[in-house]
Amino acid sequence: MKLSWRIILLWTLPALVIGFFLWQGTFSSAGGDLGRNTASTRMTYGRFLEYLDTGRVTAVDLYENGRTAIVEAVDPDLDNRLQRLRVDLPTNAPELIAKLRESEVTLDAHPPRKDGAIWGLLGNLVFPILLIAGLFFLFRRSSNIGGGPGQAMNFGKSRARFQMEAKTGVLFDDVAGVEEAKEELKEVVTFLKQPERFTAVGARIPKGALLVGPPGTGKTLLAKAIAGEAGVPFFSISGSEFVEMFVGVGASRVRDLFKKAKENAPCLIFIDEIDAVGRQRGAGIGGGNDEREQTLNQLLTEMDGFEGNTGIIIIAATNRPDVLDSALLRPGRFDRQVIVDAPDLKGRIGILEVHARNKKLAPEISIEVIARRTPGFTGADLANLLNEAAILTARRRKEAITMAEVNDAVDRVVAGMEGTPLVDSKSKRLIAYHEIGHAIVGTLLKDHDPVQKVTLIPRGQAQGLTWFTPSEEQGLITRAQLLARISGALGGRAAEEEVFGDAEVTTGAGGDLQQLTSIARQMVTRYGMSDLGSLSLEGQGGEVFLGGGLMSRAEYSEEIAFRIDEQVKRIAEHCHQEARQIIRENRMVIDRLVDLLIEKETIDGEEFRQIVAEYTHVPEKEQYVPQI
Ligand code: ADP
Ligand code: MG
Ligand code: ZN
């Protein structure tokens, strides 16, 4: 603060001095008094005498002790219009006064006035004042835009970054698929609506709840629904907005937020991404972040500072509860954790029904079929899916959304925008072999998900795609299923090698390789599915920088690390051989399928299996089908 004021003074003092001289130099010679009465046109003394003689002059006002005169004269050339003209008079012309007296001219003399001097002085002050004001304004503005030492000047207060919604308009009916979370949070609504019920029997009302779950599962929506059901205002702020460059700003925002909330109690405060401020203190590399710690301390202080029955409930959301400071999770703070997970089949049906309310669906559409096609989709994905389908419907000028639009929308949400297919070329052929490679390995391995379709129409990053009917993750996956996935992922590269030779393989398998390496590594280190035995060798994932501990990463020796790599390699090698063998043994049908794919650009799963069945035995697949 001191710094900024010193800077203001340093700037304004020279400016003031310069301004004053400028003013003096430019305007003083004009003389204060006359300035306001100036006639714009000048007339020579000779012409004035001539006018006087011919009787055209009606009035003369003398200024500056008779050195200047403003003359009123009529002009016969211009319909006798009255003109005001300025004349410089000779310093010594007593005969003029006599002459003026003779003619019947209104004569007046204006002595330099006292108040004129005051006006002049004020006038002299106007410029410096304007200058100072201008500088001050500029200074404040630049400090508002951010950065600079001026930041300290408007300390907290003025830039409240939290939002307030008096009425969210969201109800629990608008949230689906997270029934347990909803059940738990219904209680919070009662805390807000009828706190007496709890305090009467001596219960301490919890201050906050922590919503934990991946992005897009409806955490923000749930918080809004609580406020909506209770009919209280909704204050929200994101953890990342607390954390600023300047020490003290985050803490003062927390103070402001709670102050506003107390004024509006009962109400709900929602803190999104709380992990941005609430990370374990003193963790991470290079020590803690002072600003973040101050903000967190302020948050803790504020939470302790009000009693449970003041009618303020704090809901926070995060997808990283593991990095949160334990102080946040102590009783009396966020002592309740509510899991908001990606929805299951039944949940997806519920969410789709919510979002289908305001959409026009063709009667043929079955919400259940859409839900079955979309395992792993979050609420946000499903909302997006129906919206994409509606946009496609409008673009196709249809009356209502049909299954065709929904299917196209699913593809788009999963794999990105459709591109234009390649023209026939060697690389199109290579991509066709690559995709058919995935599809045939996937089809012939009993434990692999069935092929849904193979296509050469590019989407997003991918030049071609093989879609497998996704199976609902039922939680448990067998070793055979994991191995089949690895072989299937290697099918593309194996086909390139078998057909075009080792020298011709492409970068197209990069994504496949990444995927299978990660599966193989997890088999070894997490699931004990290798010769290393039934050991879990992995901590909670290796994100050292994101808090957590530095220690948890390497829980095993160099030697074990070496053996892990060896096992991963062995699994990949085994699956690679399996894939290459399947390609070799089915070369005939592969060539036929490639020709068909290049011709049609898309082959669906049923047709694919029928063609393969003409050449070899296709195993029946068991798929886990969830019951509703
Ligand atoms: P999060 O905060 O968990 O990242 P949001 O609450 O912001 O997710 O969800 C984004 C949008 O997705 C919501 O506005 C809503 O339209 C939709 N959505 C997400 N989850 C659900 C759900 N369980 N039920 C209904 N709609 C949902
Ligand atoms: Mg959110
Ligand atoms: Zn591939």
Side-chain angles (χ1 to χ4, degrees):
M1 196 130 101
K2 266 181 203 138
L3 181 74
S4 55
W5 272 108
R6 201 176 311 137
I7 283 173
I8 271 223
L9 288 183
L10 280 176
W11 273 90
T12 47
L13 270 179
L16 197 142
V17 172
I18 292 167
F20 191 70
F21 283 126
L22 268 177
W23 173 259
Q24 293 296 329
T26 327
F27 300 99
S28 282
S29 61
D33 206 9
L34 185 61
R36 283 173 291 119
N37 261 334
T38 339
S40 50
T41 327
R42 296 180 82 95
M43 182 164 66
T44 57
Y45 184 52
R47 174 72 60 88
F48 170 51
L49 292 179
E50 191 189 315
Y51 271 37
L52 205 57
D53 287 342
T54 48
R56 291 159 99 184
V57 176
T58 58
V60 175
D61 288 317
L62 293 175
Y63 290 93
E64 296 177 41
N65 296 326
R67 267 177 300 164
T68 317
I70 300 292
V71 175
E72 271 183 23
V74 287
D75 193 339
D77 295 338
L78 294 168
D79 301 335
N80 285 338
R81 232 181 45 207
L82 204 64
Q83 278 180 301
R84 284 167 69 84
L85 301 159
R86 178 172 167 174
V87 184
D88 288 332
L89 303 177
T91 22
N92 240 333
E95 75 282 354
L96 177 68
I97 304 294
K99 201 168 177 167
L100 285 171
R101 256 199 226 126
E102 271 170 40
S103 54
E104 290 172 356
V105 174
T106 323
L107 185 62
D108 199 359
H110 298 260
R113 284 185 308 182
K114 270 272 159 51
D115 68 328
I118 291 168
W119 274 113
L121 193 73
L122 278 182
N124 280 352
L125 280 176
V126 166
F127 190 69
I129 287 173
L130 272 180
L131 204 92
I132 294 172
L135 270 175
F136 200 78
F137 179 71
L138 269 180
F139 197 82
R140 286 198 59 117
R141 235 171 60 121
S142 70
S143 70
N144 266 340
I145 289 165
Q151 189 75 37
M153 283 178 60
N154 58 349
F155 240 93
K157 205 74 192 161
S158 58
R159 274 188 307 158
R161 281 268 196 81
F162 52 84
Q163 286 87 45
M164 179 190 157
E165 281 177 58
K167 283 199 172 64
T168 62
V170 181
L171 296 176
F172 275 137
D173 273 350
D174 301 320
V175 192
V178 280
E179 296 312 318
E180 294 89 356
K182 247 161 75 174
E183 244 1 272
E184 284 206 60
L185 293 171
K186 272 180 187 156
E187 199 183 26
V188 176
V189 175
T190 333
F191 293 154
L192 282 166
K193 270 171 118 172
Q194 300 158 310
E196 330 75 59
R197 253 171 63 184
F198 299 88
T199 47
V201 294
R204 184 179 58 81
I205 291 179
K207 289 176 185 169
L210 183 65
L211 306 181
V212 178
T217 46
K219 297 182 294 296
T220 309
L221 196 67
L222 268 169
K224 284 190 177 177
I226 297 170
E229 290 279 348
V232 300
F234 179 78
F235 287 86
S236 66
I237 189 163
S238 171
S240 57
E241 287 168 335
F242 277 139
V243 185
E244 284 266 337
M245 288 282 283
F246 296 96
V247 176
V249 175
S252 83
R253 284 211 181 133
V254 174
R255 258 194 311 275
D256 283 354
L257 173 64
F258 277 82
K259 189 159 159 269
K260 260 265 146 23
K262 278 176 198 160
E263 287 164 11
N264 288 282
C267 68
L268 186 144
I269 297 178
F270 178 63
I271 305 175
D272 213 351
E273 301 172 54
I274 195 171
D275 44 295
V277 269
R279 203 157 279 160
Q280 192 75 37
R281 280 170 289 189
I285 285 168
N289 167 344
D290 269 351
E291 166 61 358
R292 217 194 57 220
E293 287 191 9
Q294 281 195 22
T295 309
L296 175 57
N297 287 338
Q298 187 67 41
L299 184 62
L300 296 173
T301 312
E302 293 287 348
M303 284 191 80
D304 292 342
F306 66 85
E307 286 307 312
N309 51 14
T310 34
I312 301 176
I313 297 271
I314 307 162
I315 305 280
T318 181
N319 53 356
R320 301 282 322 262
D322 51 313
V323 302
L324 288 186
D325 197 292
S326 46
L328 273 174
L329 306 174
R330 271 218 306 268
R333 288 163 185 166
F334 293 106
D335 40 9
R336 299 194 170 202
Q337 287 198 31
V338 177
I339 308 288
V340 188
D341 228 338
D344 58 4
L345 178 65
K346 199 169 147 223
R348 292 197 302 276
I349 291 177
I351 294 171
L352 285 167
E353 270 162 1
V354 167
H355 289 279
R357 273 187 216 152
N358 58 356
K359 308 235 166 25
K360 256 191 143 165
L361 302 184
E364 74 184 64
I365 286 228
S366 151
I367 295 276
E368 195 193 323
V369 171
I370 306 177
R372 281 196 193 282
R373 260 214 79 183
T374 49
F377 274 45
T378 64
D381 294 332
L382 292 170
N384 183 22
L385 164 70
L386 282 188
N387 194 48
E388 286 284 335
I391 289 173
L392 280 175
T393 309
R395 198 180 295 155
R396 293 174 190 173
R397 300 185 189 286
K398 289 193 187 174
E399 293 281 297
I401 303 172
T402 70
M403 214 52 205
E405 281 77 45
V406 173
N407 283 333
D408 288 353
V410 173
D411 290 358
R412 183 184 286 188
V413 172
V414 172
M417 290 281 275
E418 210 170 62
T420 37
L422 288 172
V423 287
D424 285 359
S425 64
K426 186 178 166 199
S427 70
K428 187 171 184 181
R429 245 193 138 62
L430 190 131
I431 294 164
Y433 272 105
H434 180 107
E435 296 308 327
I436 295 289
H438 283 308
I440 194 109
V441 173
T443 302
L444 294 179
L445 288 176
K446 184 174 183 314
D447 294 299
H448 202 286
D449 293 336
V451 172
Q452 190 195 3
K453 69 179 172 195
V454 194
T455 173
L456 285 185
I457 298 172
R459 263 183 201 280
Q461 299 283 316
Q463 293 290 340
L465 285 167
T466 307
W467 299 75
F468 296 97
T469 306
S471 58
E472 195 80 20
E473 295 290 356
Q474 69 272 46
L476 297 176
I477 309 169
T478 64
R479 178 163 190 257
Q481 281 173 317
L482 289 174
L483 288 174
R485 279 185 200 178
I486 297 176
S487 299
L490 279 162
R493 167 56 64 87
E496 290 180 33
E497 288 166 342
E498 287 293 330
V499 177
F500 297 91
D502 286 353
E504 296 284 309
V505 297
T506 65
T507 53
D512 301 337
L513 298 183
Q514 239 168 34
Q515 214 179 339
L516 71 93
T517 312
S518 132
I519 300 176
R521 180 165 279 279
Q522 291 192 37
M523 284 175 69
V524 177
T525 60
R526 291 179 77 162
Y527 307 127
M529 290 178 178
S530 74
D531 296 347
L532 274 188
S534 309
L535 291 173
S536 173
L537 295 163
E538 207 86 316
Q540 301 181 338
E543 283 159 293
V544 194
F545 293 92
L546 298 180
L550 269 176
M551 296 304 127
S552 72
R553 199 168 54 110
E555 281 164 359
Y556 40 77
S557 63
E558 285 290 316
E559 193 213 326
I560 298 270
F562 177 75
R563 284 171 64 193
I564 291 174
D565 290 344
E566 217 177 33
Q567 290 296 324
V568 171
K569 225 162 92 188
R570 190 181 294 180
I571 292 174
E573 196 49 43
H574 165 82
C575 294
H576 192 191
Q577 290 310 331
E578 184 174 48
R580 281 188 78 149
Q581 190 182 343
I582 293 174
I583 304 284
R584 261 199 309 276
E585 288 172 357
N586 295 282
R587 185 59 197 273
M588 266 224 303
V589 65
I590 290 175
D591 288 345
R592 179 172 155 199
L593 286 163
V594 163
D595 287 340
L596 184 69
L597 184 60
I598 286 175
E599 184 200 322
K600 288 178 56 174
E601 282 175 349
T602 301
I603 306 176
D604 77 62
E606 215 32 62
E607 187 180 3
F608 189 91
R609 274 184 288 280
Q610 271 169 23
I611 295 175
V612 178
E614 291 174 25
Y615 296 77
T616 181
H617 168 71
V618 177
E620 276 294 317
K621 300 200 180 192
E622 281 171 39
Q623 263 228 310
Y624 170 78
V625 180
Q627 300 302 313
I628 327 170

